[in-house]
Amino acid sequence: MTLGMLASFGRVAIFAADVVSHLLRPPFYPREFLQALMQIGWFSLPVVGMTALFTGGALALQIYAGGARFSAEAVVPAIVAIGMARELGPVLGGLMVAARVASSIAAEIGTMKVTEQIDALVTLSTNPLKYLAVPRVLAATLAVPVLVAVGDSIGIMGGWIVGVQRLGFNSAAYIKNTVDFLEMWDITSGLLKGAAFGFLVALMGCYHGMNSGRGAQGVGKATKSAVVSASVLIFAANYLLTELFFS
């Protein structure tokens, strides 16, 4: 089992190295890149926004309930903003994109493999890795930080709505506390995490799609494995990046 796990890590690492090595080498496929950017970025915006809105509101309620035990209700705006920017925005955004995008990429590429479309690309002297994986990985790496930034803003707005309408905070004071305590590095670190998570999500979708088994069962297994592996890697990368950024 240990040897099998190490072999899997090795295959993923080699695949990731191949994708990165092809990022800046021609030929380029701008049409594929723009289509992937639209699918990953624009169409993921509603689910990321709704998730962030309700998460920000729930976070404000929980922090208020906990802070009330120590007469520290005033920390709600600062902790909601910092928590969304540093952790919840990137992680929840990455997980939503993993659920939506990794499964879609794995199913699409897996179906292409089953129907021998990937073999047709090779016959036409087109590198499948360059044509299918590189545009999607690049698009996800660029799109997810934008989704994280939008999700942070909506999540902080959700905390503000709950704080003002439900918890009785003054609107101007809530916004002032948010601005005063939120630092630029809090935002930047979350965006860097978003880029790393986007890379991992698209990488896992492409890897499992290109290595899917034959038939509908193989495509289904590849789709499930892509979502699970992307989610686990997001949590692992989140810990490592947090340790790197804030230790």
Side-chain angles (χ1 to χ4, degrees):
M1 183 174 63
T2 302
L3 292 176
M5 186 180 300
L6 293 175
S8 298
F9 287 149
R11 287 191 291 268
V12 172
I14 292 172
F15 183 81
D18 289 340
V19 170
V20 172
S21 67
H22 283 85
L23 282 176
L24 300 178
R25 289 191 295 175
F28 302 107
Y29 299 97
R31 182 178 179 181
E32 292 295 316
F33 168 74
L34 292 176
Q35 287 180 349
L37 196 65
M38 182 67 68
Q39 289 290 333
I40 296 170
W42 178 254
F43 292 135
S44 297
L45 189 58
V47 65
V48 172
M50 292 297 293
T51 302
L53 179 67
F54 290 115
T55 300
L59 186 62
L61 291 174
Q62 292 284 13
I63 295 171
Y64 184 85
R69 302 177 185 178
F70 310 100
S71 300
E73 299 91 337
V75 302
V76 170
I79 297 182
V80 168
I82 294 173
M84 288 300 303
R86 284 189 179 186
E87 286 292 320
L88 292 176
V91 172
L92 290 177
L95 291 176
M96 292 300 102
V97 173
R100 184 184 178 278
V101 172
S103 58
S104 174
I105 292 175
E108 182 181 358
I109 297 179
T111 303
M112 292 179 69
K113 181 179 179 180
V114 169
T115 56
E116 299 181 349
Q117 295 181 50
I118 293 181
D119 295 334
L121 289 175
V122 176
T123 304
L124 296 171
S125 299
T126 301
N127 186 345
L129 183 74
K130 186 74 176 175
Y131 184 78
L132 297 175
V134 172
R136 288 167 171 81
V137 171
L138 182 60
T141 305
L142 297 177
V144 175
V146 179
L147 292 174
V148 169
V150 175
D152 290 346
S153 303
I154 296 176
I156 293 172
M157 184 184 71
W160 169 77
I161 293 173
V162 171
V164 173
Q165 301 296 329
R166 175 74 174 79
L167 303 177
F169 281 85
N170 178 269
S171 178
Y174 189 103
I175 295 174
K176 185 177 186 302
N177 285 338
T178 299
V179 174
D180 289 343
F181 285 95
L182 191 63
E183 298 179 356
M184 182 57 65
W185 179 239
D186 298 328
I187 301 172
T188 305
S189 63
L191 298 182
L192 292 175
K193 285 183 177 182
F197 297 163
F199 175 83
L200 292 173
V201 166
L203 185 73
M204 288 298 99
C206 294
Y207 172 78
H208 288 288
M210 288 188 169
N211 292 278
S212 68
R214 296 291 180 179
Q217 185 176 4
V219 175
K221 184 178 179 181
T223 304
K224 177 187 68 177
S225 300
V227 175
V228 172
S229 58
S231 301
V232 172
L233 285 176
I234 284 173
F235 284 115
N238 179 61
Y239 171 77
L240 294 176
L241 292 174
T242 303
E243 187 77 26
L244 176 65
F245 292 156
F246 302 106
S247 60

